[in-house]
Amino acid sequence: MEEKPPMQKQSFAYILGWSQEKIAAGALREALLIGYDLPRMEGLWPSEKQCPGFKEEMLDFMFACHEVVEMIMECFARGLGLQEDFFTDEMNPHHEDNMTSMNLNMYPSTEGHTFPPGAQRIWSHTDYEALTLLFQKPGQTGLEVCSGLTTDRKKAQEAQWVAFDPVPGAITINIGDSLQYWSDGALKSTYHRVRCPTAEDYAVSLCSFKVL
């Protein structure tokens, strides 16, 4: 889109709209963060002229993701000795304060740019949400996960990192900090990062974040 939607930034957890991250050597990531069609998304959707059918298709996709997440959270609830529907009401996509977001990340070409040693498109981090669904296209590599179960940032930086390349037809499921806290550490949030490529490379990922 030539004209980028605005960004709404009431608080960190509610950041929505268009964002871009750069370093001197070039763009690392562009992203459009959207939520359900609730008041907090007012004025943030691309117009029909900018992107015909976008809003309807993305909402359909988000509700489909919600169904997948509900099934996963029901399994976690049973495993934690809770009622199967323990998380259901808190994840209601129609609640006005629902903080679920879909992040549409685009990693621009690095052709003609030289990044400093150790540069990452996204630095190592854990997700603060409860659960992330990650969708990637085959061949779009760059995601790396920290091996082991460390939840300490310094240890993660020093640990072994493993490439986590896309599997055709698969959804990558990532546990976030919220679910780790609620499960008293039984379920671990995962450190991950996106490396900078050494040659021309595009990587597009769709992430559905569940904040309960």
Side-chain angles (χ1 to χ4, degrees), residues 103-168:
N103 291 19
L104 311 181
N105 296 322
M106 198 283 279
Y107 301 88
S109 170
T110 58
E111 185 178 20
H113 295 289
T114 301
F115 293 91
Q120 304 290 325
R121 288 193 190 267
I122 302 180
W123 297 99
S124 61
H125 67 285
T126 56
D127 293 337
Y128 63 86
E129 304 84 6
L131 205 65
T132 299
L133 271 60
L134 177 65
F135 300 83
Q136 293 174 286
K137 292 181 179 179
Q140 295 181 341
T141 60
L143 176 66
E144 297 179 335
V145 296
C146 179
S147 60
L149 296 175
T150 182
T151 56
D152 179 89
R153 183 177 180 85
K154 184 177 181 180
K155 290 180 180 179
Q157 295 284 63
E158 300 169 350
Q160 180 180 0
W161 287 86
V162 179
F164 204 84
D165 295 340
V167 176

